[in-house]
Amino acid sequence: MSLICCGGLRTDFIITAEGKARLMEMGGNAIYSAAGARLWRDDVAILGRIGDNYPQTWLNELALRGFDTAGIRNIGGQQDH
């Protein structure tokens, strides 16, 4: 049975400690908690919703890194960042 991390999947904008801006980064509390859970478990699933504007390549990357993404649903339309 997988550990399920529920929450938001967002497009983040990050300012690094060096003061550099990083735009269009994968983020959200579901992603952050799932990444932390993977330190202890191999079977981590993500439950959340996305809009049409969420990059499919990010979902592919999560799956390639071993996350179960079957619980991520596209609700259509533009989801806010």
Side-chain angles (χ1 to χ4, degrees):
M1 178 179 286
S2 294
L3 175 71
I4 301 173
C5 297
C6 306
L9 290 91
R10 301 282 182 251
T11 302
D12 275 350
F13 305 95
I14 300 167
I15 306 283
T16 68
E18 294 82 24
K20 295 182 181 178
R22 295 179 61 175
L23 307 177
M24 293 294 296
E25 294 288 330
M26 182 190 322
N29 54 0
I31 300 294
Y32 300 139
S33 61
R38 284 280 283 150
L39 295 173
W40 292 281
R41 295 184 62 136
D42 290 330
D43 55 340
V44 177
I46 301 171
L47 177 67
R49 60 185 188 178
I50 58 173
D52 292 331
N53 56 322
Y54 195 83
Q56 180 64 44
T57 55
W58 291 354
L59 295 178
N60 297 343
E61 185 177 334
L62 289 168
L64 284 173
R65 296 190 185 281
F67 293 99
D68 180 350
T69 60
I72 299 173
R73 298 284 184 255
N74 187 322
I75 59 171
Q78 298 290 307
Q79 183 178 0
D80 64 343
H81 299 265

